[in-house]
Amino acid sequence: MTSLDKPTEDTDQTQPGDARAMTEAALFEAFGGVRGMVETVVPGLLFVAIFTVRKDLHLSAIAALAVSLVLVAVRLVKKDTVKHAFSGVFGVAFGVVFAMFTGNAKDFYLPGMLYTLGLALAYIITTLAGVPLIGLILGPVFKENLSWRTRNPGRKKAYAKASWAWGLILLAKCAILFPLYWWADTTQLGWVLVALKIPPFLLAVWLTWVFLAKAPAPIDVFAEMEAEEKAAEAAAAEAGRHRRQG
């Protein structure tokens, strides 16, 4: 039985204040914090702003893609993590290609909307399957990997609640956006989409923080494995010493 699946009797060795601080830091790392939100919003905001004024699909698309690349370049220059900026570039690039292919400016938003719908379903389906997606995302950040599945039932329950929150919030967002895709014009859809970028995200992150701050502390399986390796090395050294003495 490995350190990842063996039972434990005490999983809450962290003080409440430490647990909250740890949760805040993990959420900030996983979802990019304020800067990550800005990098998510700016390309779409620039696209809809330019299209509202100029009604020029090509100019709007090129400007959105250019600012995404600039954001990545800034992170590379500062040697910061680029995963959030890169995800923004890919999202914008898909939107640009799709809109250029169809000639319909509204299609710039369609790949992102479909991604949101797919992500909502992923949160719900994985939770129903007993492996809530938010736990898979945050487990490595908390250095607990999948230990919460078998060793920390209170934490698994918190991950399930958080995943339900993410899934239902994203589904509600889709319920607003997809009818607008069919009935509204490009500028109306764009401004509503920009307005819905941050509030649902913040609500989901806040609920995740609430659920996890009240949950048992994560089990640091990396520390456990390191301790086991040191113990094994010490035992081997001791056995070697006894053999030399014998």
Side-chain angles (χ1 to χ4, degrees):
M1 186 174 293
T2 69
S3 63
L4 294 179
D5 56 12
K6 65 184 180 183
T8 184
E9 295 180 358
D10 184 9
T11 60
D12 194 4
Q13 300 174 345
T14 306
Q15 296 300 318
D18 295 336
R20 287 182 172 85
M22 186 188 304
T23 301
E24 290 172 5
L27 291 175
F28 190 92
E29 178 181 343
F31 298 114
V34 175
R35 187 174 180 180
M37 288 187 288
V38 170
E39 291 171 342
T40 300
V41 171
V42 167
L45 177 61
L46 187 61
F47 178 91
V48 69
I50 293 176
F51 191 85
T52 299
V53 176
R54 300 290 297 272
K55 305 298 181 186
D56 187 327
L57 170 59
H58 290 78
L59 178 62
S60 303
I62 291 171
L65 185 57
V67 76
S68 298
L69 293 172
V70 168
L71 293 171
V72 171
V74 170
R75 280 190 176 266
L76 288 173
V77 169
K78 293 186 175 182
K79 298 182 180 180
D80 293 333
T81 178
V82 296
K83 62 181 180 180
H84 300 290
F86 264 129
S87 65
V89 169
F90 289 131
V92 172
F94 276 118
V96 168
V97 170
F98 206 69
M100 293 292 191
F101 179 78
T102 64
N104 183 354
K106 279 198 293 187
D107 288 338
F108 173 79
Y109 304 110
L110 189 57
M113 292 166 57
L114 292 174
Y115 173 77
T116 299
L117 178 59
L119 189 59
L121 295 176
Y123 276 115
I124 292 173
I125 292 171
T126 55
T127 304
L128 291 174
V131 193
L133 180 58
I134 199 71
L136 299 177
I137 295 171
L138 294 180
V141 179
F142 281 112
K143 299 181 180 180
E144 61 182 333
N145 283 352
L146 296 178
S147 62
W148 50 268
R149 288 197 65 203
T150 54
R151 302 177 57 191
N152 209 338
R155 197 158 181 86
K156 180 180 180 180
K157 185 177 180 180
Y159 280 138
K161 289 180 179 179
S163 289
W164 274 115
W166 278 92
L168 295 176
I169 288 170
L170 293 179
L171 279 182
K173 181 177 177 179
C174 290
I176 296 172
L177 293 178
F178 276 96
L180 288 176
Y181 174 79
W182 298 107
W183 302 332
D185 61 29
T186 301
T187 56
Q188 290 171 334
L189 173 62
W191 287 113
V192 171
L193 196 148
V194 169
L196 290 179
K197 275 283 187 179
I198 301 302
F201 174 80
L202 289 180
L203 176 59
V205 170
W206 178 75
L207 288 173
T208 302
W209 178 85
V210 169
F211 295 138
L212 292 182
K214 296 178 180 179
I219 302 168
D220 190 338
V221 295
F222 295 105
E224 288 185 343
M225 288 187 289
E226 184 178 351
E228 289 177 358
E229 289 175 359
K230 289 181 178 179
E233 290 174 359
E238 181 68 15
R241 187 175 64 82
H242 283 305
R243 284 195 298 270
R244 288 193 299 270
Q245 290 177 348

